[in-house]
Amino acid sequence: QVQLVESGGGLVQTGGYLRLSCAASPRTFSRYAMAWFRQAPGKEREFVAGIRWSGGSTYYADFVEGRFTISRDNVKNTVSLQMNNLKREDTAVYYCAASVTAGNYEYWGQGTQVTVSS
């Protein structure tokens, strides 16, 4: 199976920043569209940001409001999420996901905790 491993989560203050990283199985990474989701306590998992395999198109949830940037490196087999100006509402477990077919994320990482204190 495709393996996804997230890292970079932690505790930050409001207005701070974090950079999340997801390491994927190397052989077929470039074929997958990638995305970040998050799940806050008591809430359903929600889409945060996505990027096509080529890196040419990116998509963001409305709540991102220009604060986050998703990127990928098909040589290093990683996808990143730069999160700036973090809000308390951003507190959640963030998951990396991979999609082979549009609209269907077949593979998921274990998640990394992001906690924003205020």
Side-chain angles (χ1 to χ4, degrees):
Q1 291 185 348
V2 173
Q3 296 182 4
L4 304 173
V5 181
E6 303 96 335
S7 62
L11 175 64
V12 298
Q13 295 180 332
T14 57
Y17 60 90
L18 282 174
R19 185 176 180 87
L20 306 183
S21 182
C22 172
S25 300
R27 185 179 295 274
T28 59
F29 174 77
S30 63
R31 292 180 176 267
Y32 298 118
M34 303 294 295
W36 288 95
F37 289 75
R38 71 184 187 185
Q39 186 169 21
K43 296 184 178 180
E44 295 184 352
R45 188 174 298 182
E46 62 182 350
F47 174 83
V48 177
I51 187 168
R52 295 186 64 178
W53 67 268
S54 66
S57 298
T58 57
Y59 310 88
Y60 299 94
D62 289 341
F63 62 75
V64 168
E65 299 175 332
R67 300 176 298 126
F68 300 172
T69 302
I70 187 172
S71 61
R72 69 188 298 162
D73 187 333
N74 289 343
V75 176
K76 296 181 178 180
N77 302 315
T78 58
V79 59
S80 299
L81 183 69
Q82 179 67 47
M83 303 188 295
N84 301 322
N85 192 25
L86 285 163
K87 303 176 179 179
R88 187 175 183 180
E89 293 77 21
D90 295 319
T91 295
V93 176
Y94 284 71
Y95 297 89
C96 177
S99 174
V100 178
T101 58
N104 185 23
Y105 288 92
E106 297 93 347
Y107 305 102
W108 297 82
Q110 294 295 105
T112 185
Q113 177 70 49
V114 172
T115 303
V116 184
S117 63
S118 179

